[in-house]
Each structure stands twice: as C-alpha cells, then as structure tokens.
Amino acid sequence: MEKLNMLYEGKAKKVYETKDADKLIVYFKDDATAFNGLKKDVIFDKGILNNSISSIIFEELKRNNINTHFIEKLSEREQLVKKVNIVPLEVIVRNYAAGSIVKRLGLKEGQKFNEPILEISYKNDSLGDPLINDYHAFALGLVEKEELKYIYETALKINSILTKMFDEIGIILVDFKLEFGRCNGEILLADEISPDTCRLWDKKTLYKYDKDRFRQDLGNVVEGYREILKRLEELR
Ligand code: C5P
C-alpha cells in the first residue's frame, strides 16, 4: 500500500491517505516533545522502536478481542490502520502514582492505588489537554454516554491485558494514555501504545524505560525503548 497525500502531522507521527478511502498509513517520526511542546528533541530511531512496540501491543490486544484501528505493520516506520474520527479525549489509566497526579494530589511517586484510576482530558493542544470529568464531556458534546461507558470498560480491559503482559517481562505498567476513534458506528482503540504513552518501570529496580527519561533528562532514552522492544520480542 502506497502513501498518498499527508492528512495530518502531529508531534510524533504523520498520517497519510491511501488509495483505499477507509485506510490510512501512520508514519512514526523520531521527534520527541514534552510539557505540551515546550521541550523538543530528536531521539534517533525512536520512531522505529515505537512502531514495533505499538504493533506488538496492538496485536496482543486484538488477540484478546479488543477492537482497534490497527491492521498491520508495513515497514520499519509505517503501519496501516483503519480511518477513524478521533474522539477528542485522552483517556488515562493509572495503577501507581507518577507524573501529573503526584503533583495534583500531593502523592508519593510509586504509591500503588487500591484500584485503577481512570481520567479523561480534553484533547486540545492550545489548552494543554485539561483534565475534565464525564459531565464536561457530555455537556460539551465530546462523547455520547454509551460511548464513554464502552471506552471506560475497554480501558480497564486493556489495563488488565497489558498489566499481565508487562508483568511477564518484568515490567510494572505504572500508567498509560489511550485514544479512541469512531468508525462505522463502532468505537475502536486508535493512536499508539508505546514508551511515549506509558510509564514502564523495571519490577526489581524500578528503573524507568519510558518517556520520563526524556522529560526528566535521565539519559539513555532510546536504550530504554530498545529494552522494552527486546523483552516484548522475547515473549513472542
Ligand atoms: O503526565 P501524566 O502523569 O498525566 O501522564 C499520564 C500517562 O499518560 C503517562 O504514561 C504519559 O506518558 C501519558 N500521556 C500521554 N500523552 C499526553 C499526556 C499523558 O501519552 N498528552
């Protein structure tokens, strides 16, 4: 399948039309941004690693009956996906305290929650993706009630599947972000799941193998991503 017009360029990916109006090609870039675009860099090979990692994860989710936009990995940096209309929400699942919730609620990093926390934020770069609740989402017409119910149920299912998968490779799934899209009356998991969108800590040492290495200037960013891919490949 060949790339035609570029439809959209985001912070980490480009999206192209194909000759099939229902399918798109996603191209994974090496660009990294944090703090809503304030910190920027190029992380050599990150796009290749994230494409592989996200493809493995989406295949695992498909095997577990999660409906996703993912069709197939096409090349080092490209995957073929179903065209969806993105629901303008970022859905965050948290198992342990890290990142923004630590500051917001004055928690200790690494504290395990009694049960997973689901959060939604309004996907809007110029506003910095503000945290909202269900009432905001319905009142603003961002999502239908039935859709959000399905999104929450699916996010929790994905959390169970991925927590188990990462546990098998010695990794704690601390938290992660999901995006969903509408396609022919269905809600599909969209976007990517990778060390850019998850916090992944070593079970024994709590070493961080995710984008926090970039956000916090911890060094060895790409090595962290490479380790996640290596362990996932060993699992297959
Ligand atoms: O920053 P915060 O702690 O709220 O992030 C929670 C999780 O969601 C982290 O794994 C982070 O990488 C991910 N995230 C993301 N894209 C955003 C915001 C958060 O992938 N725009």
Side-chain angles (χ1 to χ4, degrees):
M1 188 83 76
E2 256 179 75
K3 297 201 286 280
L4 300 178
N5 288 335
M6 187 170 80
L7 265 189
Y8 164 83
E9 176 160 10
K11 288 177 237 168
K13 295 187 288 288
K14 294 182 198 174
V15 178
Y16 295 88
E17 288 177 319
T18 67
K19 60 181 184 307
D20 182 339
D22 300 329
K23 293 178 184 165
L24 302 174
I25 290 178
V26 178
Y27 176 95
F28 284 71
K29 305 194 290 182
D30 283 345
D31 298 354
T33 61
F35 312 119
N36 202 30
L38 287 178
K39 184 176 163 79
K40 279 189 199 150
D41 210 342
V42 172
I43 300 173
F44 192 66
D45 279 356
K46 176 176 80 84
I48 297 175
L49 294 165
N50 277 354
N51 186 27
S52 293
I53 293 168
S54 196
S55 296
I56 293 174
I57 293 176
F58 272 69
E59 275 162 10
E60 173 68 8
L61 292 174
K62 256 187 173 177
R63 271 194 293 279
N64 283 276
N65 303 316
I66 301 291
N67 296 323
T68 86
H69 75 156
F70 181 79
I71 301 172
E72 61 176 333
K73 184 174 178 231
L74 293 176
S75 67
E76 262 194 339
R77 288 181 183 270
E78 292 166 347
Q79 51 179 251
L80 187 67
V81 302
K82 292 182 190 163
K83 185 172 185 173
V84 300
N85 277 320
I86 288 287
V87 176
L89 295 177
E90 297 202 338
V91 180
I92 293 182
V93 185
R94 300 183 188 271
N95 297 307
Y96 293 78
S100 65
I101 200 169
V102 166
K103 275 200 191 148
R104 192 174 353 117
L105 301 183
L107 305 177
K108 187 171 172 294
E109 186 183 76
Q111 175 187 331
K112 188 174 197 300
F113 296 124
N114 295 336
E115 50 187 274
I117 295 175
L118 291 175
E119 291 174 354
I120 49 173
S121 61
Y122 175 35
K123 195 173 149 56
N124 183 314
D125 275 343
S126 58
L127 298 174
D129 303 329
L131 186 69
I132 58 171
N133 66 26
D134 300 16
Y135 291 92
H136 296 95
F138 301 141
L140 298 174
L142 305 180
V143 68
E144 299 294 326
K145 290 194 176 155
E146 279 306 307
E147 289 178 329
L148 191 60
K149 183 168 176 276
Y150 175 81
I151 285 173
Y152 281 154
E153 284 167 7
T154 307
L156 290 177
K157 263 190 222 163
I158 292 171
N159 188 40
S160 302
I161 297 162
L162 297 187
T163 295
K164 179 166 170 289
M165 185 193 75
F166 279 114
D167 182 68
E168 284 169 22
I169 59 168
I171 296 284
I172 300 172
L173 178 59
V174 174
D175 60 27
F176 58 99
K177 186 256 314 182
L178 300 173
E179 293 187 27
F180 292 86
R182 302 181 178 99
C183 175
N184 299 324
E186 265 194 323
I187 296 275
L188 304 182
L189 176 70
D191 196 47
E192 67 176 291
I193 302 181
S194 72
D196 269 5
T197 66
C198 302
R199 287 195 172 91
L200 303 167
W201 296 353
D202 188 88
K203 231 164 45 174
K204 290 197 193 114
T205 64
L206 302 183
Y207 187 91
K208 295 172 177 172
Y209 290 110
D210 55 66
K211 195 170 162 185
D212 273 350
R213 303 210 69 76
F214 170 68
R215 294 187 189 101
Q216 302 170 6
D217 292 319
L218 299 175
N220 298 320
V221 182
V222 85
E223 290 76 6
Y225 287 45
R226 201 165 274 133
E227 177 66 19
I228 294 296
L229 178 59
K230 180 176 144 261
R231 293 198 201 181
L232 284 173
E233 279 176 338
E234 282 165 6
L235 187 66
R236 288 208 289 186

